[in-house]
Amino acid sequence: MTQKKPTERSPQYPVAPGRLQKVFRHSPLDGWLVLLALIQFAILVFGTLSFGKIAWFISLPLAITSAALLCTNYFTVAHNFVHNPFFQSALANSVFSCFNSMLLGTPETLHRIYHFNHHKYDNAATDPRTGLRGDIGSTYRFGNSTGMEEPLLRYAILSYFRNDIPFLVRTAFKKRHHKLLIAETLSILVMLVTFGVFNPMGFFVFYLPVWLLGTIGSQAQNYLEHHGGTPGDREHNAVSCYSRFYNWIWFNNGFHQEHHFRPQVHWTRVAEVTPMLPPAEERCIVKGAHWLNFGERSKSQTQSD
């Protein structure tokens, strides 16, 4: 099958005021990610504290939106922040790290270590011959004996809870990030206690299901970003999609193989990496969005949108 040339253009975002260039380290466009986090926080807090006090047909859309924003946060806000911290000020980055930890329900420091481990091993599983640790979140780590990925649903539900927390915490202390980790953990606890004190029903019936669904969704997204790729290969281990709409709402997350090849390239410039990769017909590309990367499909699948 002849594959069309990937659409390498990146969606255009409104340019933030020039004065914000003194605030943001890499690009004032990161301000849109900060705004997205603030919107998520507002919806989460209102939805949790108002649960049982407003009509269910209002709470339900709030819950669905909150879960979707949690998943979105992992792949836009948190993802870009761990690679390229937003602010010029180290203090501002630490404060935002604590703030976003509350939104994830997971310390950003542990997420950063987990994610960098993912990049180090490029979705490769633990070597069965040597027992050497590979990507602790690999879609192959708990696959079958023939080297296949584990099923999507099992991975999505179990992956977060199989995290090697002792390894992540030890690494945080080893890298002397323990003070920030403690601050992030306390921030999460303060939020949870506040929810529990002011609206116990909202905590149990709204917040916990939202967190669970959003977290499972994020694990499913990670699976679909790599399903069909070659584990351990920085040029073929991930899946890209070039839909302009998808890349607009998820801040160029569709350029995922590009990101694995050059992980420190800022999200506003990741489309520039595409020409450095092998031809499109040799890579895994899905049409529309990663969410549609189900089942078996050819690497030469067309992807124009």
Short mmCIF file of all heavy atoms in Angstrom, two decimals, residues 129-156:
data_model
loop_
_atom_site.label_atom_id
_atom_site.label_comp_id
_atom_site.label_asym_id
_atom_site.label_seq_id
_atom_site.Cartn_x
_atom_site.Cartn_y
_atom_site.Cartn_z
N ARG A 129 16.34 -13.53 30.28
CA ARG A 129 17.59 -14.29 30.44
C ARG A 129 18.44 -13.74 31.58
O ARG A 129 19.03 -14.49 32.34
CB ARG A 129 18.38 -14.26 29.14
CG ARG A 129 17.70 -14.96 27.97
CD ARG A 129 18.43 -14.66 26.68
NE ARG A 129 18.44 -13.23 26.41
CZ ARG A 129 19.12 -12.67 25.41
NH1 ARG A 129 19.86 -13.41 24.61
NH2 ARG A 129 19.07 -11.35 25.22
N THR A 130 18.49 -12.43 31.67
CA THR A 130 19.36 -11.81 32.68
C THR A 130 18.59 -11.31 33.89
O THR A 130 19.18 -11.08 34.95
CB THR A 130 20.12 -10.63 32.06
OG1 THR A 130 19.17 -9.62 31.66
CG2 THR A 130 20.91 -11.07 30.84
N GLY A 131 17.28 -11.10 33.73
CA GLY A 131 16.49 -10.56 34.83
C GLY A 131 16.68 -9.07 35.02
O GLY A 131 16.17 -8.48 35.97
N LEU A 132 17.40 -8.42 34.08
CA LEU A 132 17.63 -6.99 34.20
C LEU A 132 16.33 -6.24 33.96
O LEU A 132 15.55 -6.56 33.07
CB LEU A 132 18.69 -6.54 33.20
CG LEU A 132 20.11 -7.07 33.44
CD1 LEU A 132 21.05 -6.60 32.33
CD2 LEU A 132 20.63 -6.60 34.80
N ARG A 133 16.11 -5.22 34.79
CA ARG A 133 14.87 -4.45 34.71
C ARG A 133 14.81 -3.66 33.41
O ARG A 133 15.79 -3.04 32.98
CB ARG A 133 14.81 -3.47 35.89
CG ARG A 133 13.52 -2.63 35.90
CD ARG A 133 13.67 -1.48 36.88
NE ARG A 133 13.98 -1.94 38.20
CZ ARG A 133 13.08 -2.39 39.08
NH1 ARG A 133 11.82 -2.44 38.73
NH2 ARG A 133 13.43 -2.77 40.27
N GLY A 134 13.66 -3.71 32.77
CA GLY A 134 13.43 -2.88 31.61
C GLY A 134 12.47 -1.76 31.99
O GLY A 134 12.48 -1.27 33.12
N ASP A 135 11.64 -1.38 31.07
CA ASP A 135 10.63 -0.36 31.30
C ASP A 135 9.60 -0.93 32.29
O ASP A 135 8.90 -1.89 31.99
CB ASP A 135 9.98 -0.02 29.97
CG ASP A 135 8.95 1.10 30.05
OD1 ASP A 135 8.51 1.43 31.17
OD2 ASP A 135 8.58 1.63 29.00
N ILE A 136 9.50 -0.33 33.48
CA ILE A 136 8.60 -0.88 34.49
C ILE A 136 7.13 -0.71 34.12
O ILE A 136 6.26 -1.35 34.72
CB ILE A 136 8.86 -0.27 35.88
CG1 ILE A 136 8.63 1.25 35.87
CG2 ILE A 136 10.26 -0.60 36.37
CD1 ILE A 136 8.76 1.89 37.23
N GLY A 137 6.85 0.12 33.13
CA GLY A 137 5.48 0.27 32.65
C GLY A 137 5.28 -0.31 31.27
O GLY A 137 4.29 -0.01 30.61
N SER A 138 6.20 -1.17 30.83
CA SER A 138 6.14 -1.73 29.48
C SER A 138 4.85 -2.51 29.25
O SER A 138 4.38 -3.24 30.13
CB SER A 138 7.34 -2.64 29.24
OG SER A 138 7.21 -3.33 28.01
N THR A 139 4.32 -2.38 28.05
CA THR A 139 3.13 -3.15 27.69
C THR A 139 3.47 -4.62 27.47
O THR A 139 2.57 -5.46 27.33
CB THR A 139 2.49 -2.59 26.41
OG1 THR A 139 3.45 -2.64 25.33
CG2 THR A 139 2.06 -1.14 26.61
N TYR A 140 4.77 -4.95 27.47
CA TYR A 140 5.21 -6.32 27.28
C TYR A 140 5.62 -6.99 28.60
O TYR A 140 5.82 -8.20 28.63
CB TYR A 140 6.41 -6.37 26.33
CG TYR A 140 6.08 -6.01 24.91
CD1 TYR A 140 6.10 -4.68 24.51
CD2 TYR A 140 5.75 -6.98 23.98
CE1 TYR A 140 5.79 -4.33 23.19
CE2 TYR A 140 5.44 -6.65 22.68
CZ TYR A 140 5.46 -5.32 22.29
OH TYR A 140 5.15 -4.98 21.00
N ARG A 141 5.76 -6.22 29.65
CA ARG A 141 6.33 -6.74 30.88
C ARG A 141 5.54 -7.91 31.45
O ARG A 141 6.10 -8.86 31.99
CB ARG A 141 6.45 -5.63 31.93
CG ARG A 141 7.24 -6.05 33.16
CD ARG A 141 7.38 -4.92 34.14
NE ARG A 141 8.18 -5.32 35.28
CZ ARG A 141 8.22 -4.66 36.43
NH1 ARG A 141 7.52 -3.56 36.58
NH2 ARG A 141 8.97 -5.09 37.42
N PHE A 142 4.23 -7.84 31.34
CA PHE A 142 3.38 -8.91 31.85
C PHE A 142 2.64 -9.61 30.72
O PHE A 142 1.55 -10.13 30.91
CB PHE A 142 2.40 -8.36 32.88
CG PHE A 142 3.07 -7.86 34.13
CD1 PHE A 142 3.40 -6.52 34.27
CD2 PHE A 142 3.39 -8.73 35.17
CE1 PHE A 142 4.04 -6.06 35.42
CE2 PHE A 142 4.01 -8.28 36.32
CZ PHE A 142 4.34 -6.94 36.45
N GLY A 143 3.27 -9.61 29.53
CA GLY A 143 2.70 -10.33 28.40
C GLY A 143 2.92 -11.82 28.54
O GLY A 143 3.41 -12.30 29.57
N ASN A 144 2.59 -12.55 27.51
CA ASN A 144 2.73 -14.01 27.60
C ASN A 144 4.16 -14.45 27.30
O ASN A 144 5.03 -13.65 26.99
CB ASN A 144 1.73 -14.71 26.67
CG ASN A 144 1.96 -14.36 25.20
OD1 ASN A 144 3.08 -14.11 24.77
ND2 ASN A 144 0.88 -14.33 24.43
N SER A 145 4.41 -15.74 27.41
CA SER A 145 5.75 -16.29 27.28
C SER A 145 6.31 -16.18 25.87
O SER A 145 7.51 -16.35 25.66
CB SER A 145 5.75 -17.76 27.71
OG SER A 145 4.84 -18.52 26.92
N THR A 146 5.45 -15.90 24.89
CA THR A 146 5.92 -15.78 23.51
C THR A 146 6.38 -14.37 23.18
O THR A 146 6.76 -14.09 22.05
CB THR A 146 4.81 -16.20 22.53
OG1 THR A 146 3.70 -15.30 22.67
CG2 THR A 146 4.36 -17.62 22.80
N GLY A 147 6.32 -13.48 24.16
CA GLY A 147 6.80 -12.12 23.94
C GLY A 147 5.75 -11.16 23.43
O GLY A 147 6.08 -10.05 22.98
N MET A 148 4.48 -11.54 23.51
CA MET A 148 3.40 -10.65 23.07
C MET A 148 3.03 -9.67 24.19
O MET A 148 3.28 -9.92 25.36
CB MET A 148 2.18 -11.47 22.68
CG MET A 148 2.42 -12.43 21.52
SD MET A 148 2.75 -11.57 19.97
CE MET A 148 1.12 -10.89 19.64
N GLU A 149 2.41 -8.56 23.80
CA GLU A 149 1.89 -7.61 24.77
C GLU A 149 0.76 -8.27 25.57
O GLU A 149 0.07 -9.17 25.07
CB GLU A 149 1.33 -6.37 24.08
CG GLU A 149 2.35 -5.50 23.39
CD GLU A 149 1.68 -4.37 22.63
OE1 GLU A 149 0.97 -4.66 21.66
OE2 GLU A 149 1.86 -3.21 23.03
N GLU A 150 0.56 -7.79 26.78
CA GLU A 150 -0.61 -8.27 27.51
C GLU A 150 -1.85 -7.58 26.95
O GLU A 150 -1.74 -6.54 26.28
CB GLU A 150 -0.46 -8.01 29.01
CG GLU A 150 -0.56 -6.57 29.45
CD GLU A 150 -0.51 -6.46 30.98
OE1 GLU A 150 -1.31 -7.15 31.64
OE2 GLU A 150 0.33 -5.71 31.47
N PRO A 151 -3.04 -8.10 27.20
CA PRO A 151 -4.26 -7.50 26.66
C PRO A 151 -4.46 -6.07 27.16
O PRO A 151 -4.08 -5.73 28.28
CB PRO A 151 -5.37 -8.42 27.16
CG PRO A 151 -4.69 -9.73 27.41
CD PRO A 151 -3.31 -9.37 27.89
N LEU A 152 -5.05 -5.25 26.32
CA LEU A 152 -5.26 -3.84 26.63
C LEU A 152 -6.01 -3.63 27.94
O LEU A 152 -5.58 -2.86 28.80
CB LEU A 152 -6.04 -3.17 25.49
CG LEU A 152 -6.60 -1.78 25.76
CD1 LEU A 152 -5.49 -0.79 26.08
CD2 LEU A 152 -7.42 -1.30 24.57
N LEU A 153 -7.15 -4.32 28.12
CA LEU A 153 -7.98 -4.08 29.29
C LEU A 153 -7.25 -4.45 30.57
O LEU A 153 -7.30 -3.70 31.56
CB LEU A 153 -9.29 -4.88 29.19
CG LEU A 153 -10.32 -4.61 30.29
CD1 LEU A 153 -10.73 -3.14 30.30
CD2 LEU A 153 -11.56 -5.51 30.09
N ARG A 154 -6.54 -5.57 30.57
CA ARG A 154 -5.80 -5.97 31.77
C ARG A 154 -4.70 -4.96 32.09
O ARG A 154 -4.49 -4.61 33.25
CB ARG A 154 -5.21 -7.37 31.58
CG ARG A 154 -4.63 -7.96 32.86
CD ARG A 154 -4.13 -9.38 32.63
NE ARG A 154 -2.87 -9.40 31.90
CZ ARG A 154 -2.30 -10.51 31.43
NH1 ARG A 154 -2.92 -11.67 31.56
NH2 ARG A 154 -1.15 -10.45 30.81
N TYR A 155 -4.00 -4.51 31.06
CA TYR A 155 -2.95 -3.52 31.26
C TYR A 155 -3.53 -2.23 31.83
O TYR A 155 -3.00 -1.65 32.79
CB TYR A 155 -2.23 -3.23 29.95
CG TYR A 155 -1.14 -2.19 30.07
CD1 TYR A 155 0.16 -2.57 30.39
CD2 TYR A 155 -1.41 -0.84 29.88
CE1 TYR A 155 1.17 -1.62 30.51
CE2 TYR A 155 -0.42 0.12 30.02
CZ TYR A 155 0.87 -0.28 30.33
OH TYR A 155 1.86 0.67 30.47
N ALA A 156 -4.63 -1.78 31.25
CA ALA A 156 -5.22 -0.50 31.67
C ALA A 156 -5.66 -0.54 33.13
O ALA A 156 -5.47 0.42 33.88
CB ALA A 156 -6.41 -0.16 30.76
#
